[in-house]
Amino acid sequence: MNYFDKIATYFQQLSAQHQKIDDIALFIKQRITQGSCIFFCGNGGSAADSQHLAAEFIGRYKKERRALPAIALTVDSSALTAIGNDYGFNDIFARQLSGLGKKDDVLIAISTSGNSKNVLEAIKTAKQIGVTSIGLTGSLGGEMAEICDYCIKVPSNETNHIQEMHIAIGHYICGICD
């Protein structure tokens, strides 16, 4: 099977979760309407997706609208390095979320494996402060699938294809929130 047929197959399988994804997108839109902030975190390509999606919210996605409150916890190099140095890499997102997040905010945690320790710590912190956690992960789900309030497991265990579907889900959510 060629690369593009494989992607098409994965997206066809992902469409079976359309209602769940739609419900999550509408939930996020409702929280934004109520004044909540959306936080994103992830490592590597998932960090890049976090930044990309936060920018779509705070800037604009497809239409002119007010800026929507969104923060990628992956971008503050001073905070990341200070927290990493003083507390450890596993706390880089949790520590930021504990200082910035408030009850009824939303954390979108992205991990292709579902087992990234620093992402899991952020989810645990979210629970402690009343932030709803939404996980985006691969087909195996990892620990993330067990501890998130909502989790979308995309139908692949290959990192590149997982990331392709994660950004598509993120764009769909941005479109709903527009």
Side-chain angles (χ1 to χ4, degrees):
M1 178 179 298
N2 78 42
Y3 189 84
F4 298 105
D5 288 339
K6 194 172 193 178
I7 293 169
T9 300
Y10 285 137
F11 274 95
Q12 279 297 102
Q13 293 169 1
L14 181 62
S15 70
Q17 296 185 61
H18 174 73
Q19 188 59 56
K20 179 180 186 177
I21 296 167
D22 196 49
D23 291 345
I24 289 169
L26 291 170
F27 172 79
I28 292 168
K29 181 178 182 175
Q30 176 189 30
R31 285 288 173 94
I32 288 171
T33 302
Q34 296 169 347
S36 297
C37 185
I38 311 304
F39 294 92
F40 293 87
C41 69
N43 297 295
S46 299
D49 288 347
S50 295
Q51 292 169 225
H52 176 148
L53 294 171
E56 301 285 23
F57 277 89
I58 204 78
R60 107 173 83 102
Y61 180 59
K62 287 190 174 183
K63 68 178 197 174
E64 285 300 324
R65 52 151 168 78
R66 70 176 178 88
L68 303 178
I71 298 171
L73 300 174
T74 58
V75 299
D76 186 339
S77 60
S78 295
L80 292 169
T81 56
I83 296 165
N85 186 60
D86 295 347
Y87 297 95
F89 187 72
N90 289 346
D91 291 327
I92 61 171
F93 302 134
R95 185 79 180 174
Q96 290 181 81
L97 186 63
S98 70
L100 298 170
K102 63 185 184 325
K103 186 178 182 326
D104 295 329
D105 284 342
V106 176
L107 172 68
I108 298 179
I110 308 172
S111 171
T112 59
S113 69
N115 291 315
S116 300
K117 297 285 187 216
N118 54 5
V119 174
L120 295 172
E121 289 302 316
I123 295 165
K124 292 172 188 174
T125 295
K127 285 194 179 309
Q128 292 170 359
I129 61 176
V131 170
T132 301
S133 59
I134 297 169
L136 299 179
T137 190
S139 63
L140 301 178
E143 187 179 338
M144 175 188 278
E146 302 300 318
I147 66 172
C148 278
D149 295 310
Y150 304 97
C151 189
I152 300 168
K153 297 187 290 185
V154 300
S156 177
N157 61 4
E158 295 177 74
T159 299
N160 56 314
H161 296 306
I162 294 168
Q163 290 172 334
E164 290 158 351
M165 289 181 274
H166 284 174
I167 202 65
I169 291 166
H171 280 160
Y172 178 76
I173 292 169
C174 289
I176 294 294
C177 292
D178 254 6

